[in-house]
Amino acid sequence: MRDIDLEVRAGEALAIVGASGSGKSTLLAILAGLDTPTRGSVTLQGADLFALDEDARAALRGRTVGFVFQSFQLLPALTALENVMLPLELAGRADAEEAARAILARVGLAERLGHYPKHLSGGEQQRVALARAFVVRPTLLLADEPTGSLDAASGEGVIELIFELNRSYGTTLVMVTHDEPLAQRCARVVRLAAGRIAEAK
């Protein structure tokens, strides 16, 4: 990444697009504080991520950031319900099961709570991942090619859910995608080329 100057406003939906290798996923990882830049800073809710130690950065992420990945990143030994409960349990929430059941019902999986990832379709796994991301009521949702592993019908359903949850929770959305029509559904599009912002509109 070089000469990146980017501000994402609270509540907006921003798409990051560009060719493979342009730096989209790297930028997303830096925004999340998962990768450390050699120089520069990222401010999230007034906190400079890289002025914090790793534990404090992880704690801030846990309170404010939700993630949705192309590869779902579900834990195979946990059921759908347990996968969604996990971030709440890590945060010490007493209502973890109740909140997880409610969000899974909202994404249409009330009947699949006890199923393990291997017994769920790709679309169902991504909906579990969405539920896990939104169950903590994140300030910021980071989505990296969220429909990249899905067929067209499943992908469309997942996208509708992302935007519906984004609106109802007032979450800021930053989405990396190769899908130009999907990018145009966001309020703003940033195009990367060779690690730089080539276009922002």
Side-chain angles (χ1 to χ4, degrees):
M1 311 309 304
R2 294 188 294 279
D3 305 320
I4 299 292
D5 184 5
L6 178 64
E7 181 176 356
V8 185
R9 295 178 291 276
E12 86 168 312
L14 172 74
I16 300 173
V17 300
S20 294
S22 61
K24 302 185 301 297
S25 293
T26 299
L27 177 56
L28 207 67
I30 290 172
L31 293 177
L34 296 171
D35 286 353
T36 305
T38 51
R39 57 191 172 89
S41 64
V42 173
T43 302
L44 175 61
Q45 291 197 316
D48 181 347
L49 283 182
F50 302 108
L52 303 174
D53 64 27
E54 194 168 329
D55 287 344
R57 202 158 56 236
L60 179 61
R61 258 198 313 270
R63 292 192 306 272
T64 61
V65 182
F67 297 93
V68 181
F69 301 98
Q70 177 176 342
S71 55
F72 316 138
Q73 301 287 346
L74 300 178
L75 296 176
L78 299 184
T79 65
L81 179 62
E82 291 165 341
N83 264 285
V84 178
M85 287 173 60
L86 185 60
L88 298 177
E89 291 176 326
L90 293 173
R93 288 264 299 271
D95 64 338
E97 182 172 348
E98 180 185 355
R101 285 178 178 274
I103 190 72
L104 281 163
R106 183 156 184 189
V107 300
L109 293 175
E111 306 302 317
R112 310 286 276 171
L113 304 182
H115 288 68
Y116 291 92
K118 67 181 179 181
H119 297 132
L120 299 171
S121 69
E124 288 172 332
Q125 289 184 62
Q126 192 61 295
R127 282 189 276 158
V128 173
L130 265 181
R132 183 183 57 190
F134 275 102
V135 76
V136 297
R137 299 290 184 108
T139 304
L140 173 64
L141 178 71
L142 301 175
D144 193 358
E145 297 286 1
T147 60
S149 297
L150 304 178
D151 60 57
S154 297
E156 182 60 27
V158 164
I159 288 304
E160 291 301 332
L161 269 172
I162 287 177
F163 283 109
E164 176 194 331
L165 293 168
N166 184 59
R167 285 189 299 270
S168 61
Y169 284 79
T171 301
T172 304
L173 171 65
V174 178
M175 181 176 0
V176 163
T177 182
H178 282 98
D179 186 334
E180 290 285 346
L182 171 55
Q184 296 305 320
R185 292 178 63 173
C186 294
R188 193 155 56 107
V189 178
V190 168
R191 192 172 304 278
L192 295 186
R196 285 191 163 94
I197 293 178
E199 182 184 13
K201 59 181 182 179

